[in-house]
Amino acid sequence: MNIDKHTTTWQAVTQWLQDRRQQCVESLINGSPNDDKLRGEIRVIDDLMADADDRPTREPLPDTDY
């Protein structure tokens, strides 16, 4: 995934994701009838943030025979 993490759009998305994750964690701590849904949402947020942190892998250079 190629995400330019320096854009204002991505910074706004990141802030929203962090805020939403915190809300989900607080709901779990306080007790909620939707614990499984909240855990799933936290997992998706964590996965998205982790994918954005991954560095794209470079394609290997072709072999040369000179």
Side-chain angles (χ1 to χ4, degrees), residues 10 12 18 47 49 59:
W10 179 248
Q18 291 171 347
D47 288 348
M49 298 295 287
E59 293 293 322

Side-chain angles (χ1 to χ4, degrees), residues 6-53:
H6 303 289
T7 65
T8 55
T9 301
W10 179 248
Q11 292 170 359
V13 168
T14 300
Q15 185 61 51
W16 184 88
L17 288 169
Q18 291 171 347
D19 292 346
R20 181 61 190 153
R21 187 184 190 286
Q22 184 62 36
Q23 290 171 0
C24 290
V25 169
E26 288 173 5
S27 292
L28 278 173
I29 291 170
N30 292 330
S32 167
N34 300 320
D35 286 357
D36 290 337
K37 179 180 179 272
L38 292 169
R39 285 188 186 97
E41 193 170 344
I42 291 168
R43 188 171 300 122
V44 168
I45 290 169
D46 289 345
D47 288 348
L48 178 61
M49 298 295 287
D51 283 347
D53 287 338

